[in-house]
Amino acid sequence: DSDDNRGVHASTARGDKASSFGPDVVDTFCRDNGIQLIIRAHQCVTAGYEFFSSGKLVTIFSATNYCGHYGNAGAIMLINQHLATMPKVITGSSQHGWS
């Protein structure tokens, strides 16, 4: 998980089985690997997507209203032929049985 603390450390949100990392880790990873953006998933974020580390990392979470009680939006990432990215927010719909 990403957070504002520097380095890699135990996650305060998910216990000692998970690690968190700061923006310095993202910056170093991108520089060392010659990439501009990391797209990751598997962390619930309220808006469905969340940018971190000056836009070098984005978390995408597609499950709306996770587990039926978080009230979050979902999102997908659109990527065009020039590798420009744009998140698209998904909201739940009772018409489809989503909540």
Side-chain angles (χ1 to χ4, degrees), residues 44-85:
C44 184
V45 290
T46 304
Y49 71 96
E50 183 176 273
F51 282 95
F52 177 72
S53 189
S54 301
K56 292 180 183 167
L57 182 143
V58 62
T59 298
I60 302 291
F61 195 76
S62 62
T64 58
N65 195 23
Y66 186 56
C67 294
H69 67 275
Y70 284 92
N72 63 289
I76 60 173
M77 181 65 78
L78 304 175
I79 305 171
N80 73 14
Q81 68 271 22
H82 304 289
L83 301 180
T85 59

Side-chain angles (χ1 to χ4, degrees), residues 3-22:
D3 66 26
D4 292 328
N5 297 317
R6 294 180 58 82
V8 177
H9 43 277
S11 172
T12 56
R14 295 209 245 186
D16 63 357
K17 301 288 188 233
S19 296
S20 292
F21 52 88

